[in-house]
Amino acid sequence: MCLAMPARVVEMRDDDQAVVELDGVRKEISVALIEAPRVGDYVIVHVGYALSRLDPEEAAKTLALFAEMQAAGAAA
Amino acid sequence: MKYIDEYRDGDLAKGLASAIAREAKPDCRYHFMEFCGGHTHAIFRYGIQDLLPSNVRMIHGPGCPVCVLPMGRIDGAIHLAKQPGVILASYGDMLRVPGGGRESLLKAKALGADVRMIYSPSDAVALAKAHPDREVVFFAIGFETTTPPTALAIRQAHREGLSNFSVYCNHVLTPSAISSILEAPSVRDLGTVPLDGFIGPAHVSTVIGSQPYDYFAEEYRRPVVIAGFEPLDVLQAILMLIRQVNEGRFEVENEFTRAVTKEGNMKAKTLVAETFEMKRSFEWRGLGLVPYSALAIKRQWAQFDAEARFIVPEFKTEDHKACACGAILRGLKTPADCSLFATACTPEHPIGSCMVSAEGACAAYYTYGRQRRKS
């Protein structure tokens, strides 16, 4: 039950509700737990609530780190 | 799927695995506990253990809320479900967990109790709104991830003036459980399970932040790396832990920076603090009574507290004698060590809680590891 997924906010609605999309599936969720949600944000959705926003820069840094490790592994 | 597929890349996984193989010293043994069921699931599903050198062992911790809830609390929920006029709303995983006498919420439902499966606490509030003549009780369980949504559901019920909604609160706290594992006599005195480091929770940490783990690093001198739930996240975290051990460091490092900050989600934390208070102690399956490890609804919200509105007896129910869930949750045994595993206890007919939830160590091992072990 702890499985949560990153989904993109595609529409903001009233009462802290928003529509998110993941792989073509759309669902209305609550964004009451995060500050200033916006269309285009990626959020981690759990039991119908966005728990946090994904930081695109940090996500790219982590991927770059993996690639660095891979290169180091191949060189060894 | 963005932010998912790129963290499952097979070539990058091979690169990380060879970096781990290169850096793990052959004369050292590394024992790391992943606290979260989400990590356990990823480790089995993607065969991560197979990518690790034989001296790097993963131990599966108690971070599955379904698995750690003692049978007595399930009996409490069944008792509530049987009260006249009650609709008991629960997350799906909880329905099949056997309580004492092998009864589950699903069986209670078959016998006439009104038990509804919900996906979100707001569904429970919607049920209360739709059935003003009934009492809707939400069976709330979970770690720091599910607690803020429960708090919001209570606020929503209050805002909408619902007098027929209440919460049977079973929310538990991650840091207390980690302390308990590190302080358990079986771990500390007997040294049965040496733990050289922890993979810290992914989604729990989005809420509480990385700061609460500083205590473990300092007090228990164990490294903690917070990691996402995708396979590359887990491999990277293992590599970061190996480096800390090799260098004699014990720090909190964050691999999941794309979603976790040091302070966490302040809005969610404030809401939780305003809605709940610590229970002096709470029983965990496998860990026994753990001080200050669970939350109760604050007195000012008592009208939404099922335990204040109904009489819920304290059920003291012993686990099945042969069930090893307790030892598995403490990392003392693996699923294969249990005599019931894959014989009397299967995901279709679970006896212990570790087999019920998909994130439980036994269910993950049964689904992804069982056949491999035989071959």
Side-chain angles (χ1 to χ4, degrees):
Chain A
M1 63 170 289
C2 278
L3 292 179
M5 287 285 187
R8 190 168 68 96
V9 176
V10 292
E11 189 185 326
M12 292 298 302
R13 293 193 174 161
D14 294 340
D15 296 330
D16 286 327
Q17 296 294 108
V19 178
V20 292
E21 187 184 290
L22 176 70
D23 214 20
V25 179
R26 286 182 173 223
K27 189 175 166 23
E28 186 171 298
I29 61 150
S30 166
V31 285
L33 293 171
I34 56 173
E35 299 283 356
R38 281 183 300 269
V39 169
D41 283 348
Y42 275 84
V43 290
I44 291 181
V45 182
H46 179 59
V47 299
Y49 292 79
L51 283 186
S52 72
R53 188 186 274 107
L54 273 150
D55 182 330
E57 278 179 30
E58 289 294 335
K61 273 190 214 165
T62 305
L63 286 173
L65 189 66
F66 295 157
E68 207 177 289
M69 291 297 149
Q70 186 198 26
Chain B
M1 291 177 283
K2 195 165 166 60
Y3 296 122
I4 298 176
D5 295 338
E6 25 332 8
Y7 299 92
R8 294 179 182 174
D9 184 291
D11 287 338
L12 289 179
K14 279 183 209 152
L16 284 172
S18 54
I20 288 170
R22 202 172 53 248
E23 296 198 26
K25 293 180 184 169
D27 53 341
C28 263
R29 291 193 64 76
Y30 303 85
H31 302 86
F32 301 131
M33 177 178 270
E34 84 277 3
F35 180 84
C36 267
H39 289 131
T40 306
H41 190 81
I43 286 167
F44 283 110
R45 182 172 177 189
Y46 299 101
I48 286 175
Q49 189 71 60
D50 293 346
L51 294 173
L52 301 176
S54 58
N55 56 338
V56 179
R57 189 184 150 207
M58 299 310 293
I59 295 156
H60 318 300
C64 159
V66 177
C67 307
V68 296
L69 196 68
M71 276 188 176
R73 298 296 287 185
I74 295 158
D75 288 335
I78 295 170
H79 172 84
L80 281 165
K82 287 180 175 171
Q83 299 310 299
V86 164
I87 298 174
L88 188 105
S90 165
Y91 293 126
D93 318 29
M94 288 313 302
L95 297 184
R96 293 188 305 119
V97 189
R102 310 272 354 246
E103 194 170 7
S104 64
L105 282 168
L106 208 57
K107 272 193 189 161
K109 184 180 169 77
L111 294 170
D114 194 346
V115 177
R116 312 275 183 106
M117 189 182 99
I118 52 160
Y119 295 101
S120 168
S122 60
D123 296 342
V125 179
L127 274 173
K129 228 168 143 178
H131 300 280
D133 54 330
R134 306 281 299 278
E135 281 284 340
V136 173
V137 179
F138 170 46
F139 183 16
I141 76 153
F143 287 95
E144 289 86 344
T145 43
T146 41
T147 311
T150 302
L152 277 177
I154 290 173
R155 303 305 172 100
Q156 190 190 345
H158 178 252
R159 210 168 46 243
E160 301 193 12
L162 298 175
S163 58
N164 63 331
F165 174 79
S166 59
V167 172
Y168 179 45
C169 185
N170 292 280
H171 285 300
V172 285
L173 302 166
T174 304
S176 326
I178 297 181
S179 297
S180 168
I181 296 163
L182 288 166
E183 284 173 353
S186 55
V187 173
R188 196 167 253 192
D189 298 342
L190 305 174
T192 318
V193 188
L195 290 175
D196 304 305
F198 281 92
I199 296 188
H203 298 141
V204 159
S205 307
T206 66
V207 177
I208 65 174
S210 64
Q211 189 273 331
Y213 307 101
D214 288 349
Y215 172 78
F216 302 104
E218 286 160 20
E219 179 73 9
Y220 299 103
R221 303 167 71 89
R222 299 291 203 294
V224 179
V225 176
I226 295 156
F229 282 147
E230 299 303 337
L232 296 188
D233 293 320
V234 178
L235 284 167
Q236 175 68 20
I238 293 168
L239 179 59
M240 289 163 82
L241 283 171
I242 288 172
R243 283 183 177 167
Q244 285 209 42
V245 171
N246 288 351
E247 291 164 20
R249 288 184 292 125
F250 34 88
E251 293 163 16
V252 177
E253 292 181 316
N254 182 7
E255 184 278 337
F256 199 36
T257 50
R258 62 188 184 275
V260 171
T261 58
K262 191 160 180 65
E263 59 283 350
N265 182 337
M266 284 310 295
K267 201 173 174 184
K269 285 201 299 189
T270 307
L271 185 75
V272 167
E274 287 171 359
T275 314
F276 301 97
E277 61 192 19
M278 294 258 211
K279 278 183 182 169
R280 269 178 198 275
S281 83
F282 190 74
E283 189 190 342
W284 291 55
R285 193 188 286 233
L287 301 180
L289 286 172
V290 182
Y292 298 103
S293 65
L295 297 174
I297 295 168
K298 275 191 171 174
R299 202 169 296 165
Q300 69 184 99
W301 302 100
Q303 55 173 317
F304 300 106
D305 185 351
E307 286 172 274
R309 288 172 69 120
F310 299 89
I311 296 162
V312 188
E314 274 210 22
F315 294 96
K316 289 276 170 223
T317 320
E318 297 289 322
D319 290 343
H320 188 290
K321 259 189 271 173
C323 172
C325 277
I328 292 167
L329 290 167
R330 288 200 309 276
L332 296 169
K333 284 187 176 178
T334 70
D337 297 329
C338 176
S339 61
L340 303 178
F341 177 76
T343 54
C345 184
T346 63
E348 291 75 32
H349 297 283
I351 287 176
S353 56
C354 296
M355 189 60 96
V356 176
S357 166
E359 289 121 68
C362 294
Y365 197 92
Y366 186 95
T367 308
Y368 302 112
R370 185 171 47 109
Q371 297 307 332
R372 191 188 59 212
R373 183 171 57 94
K374 282 180 183 167
S375 61

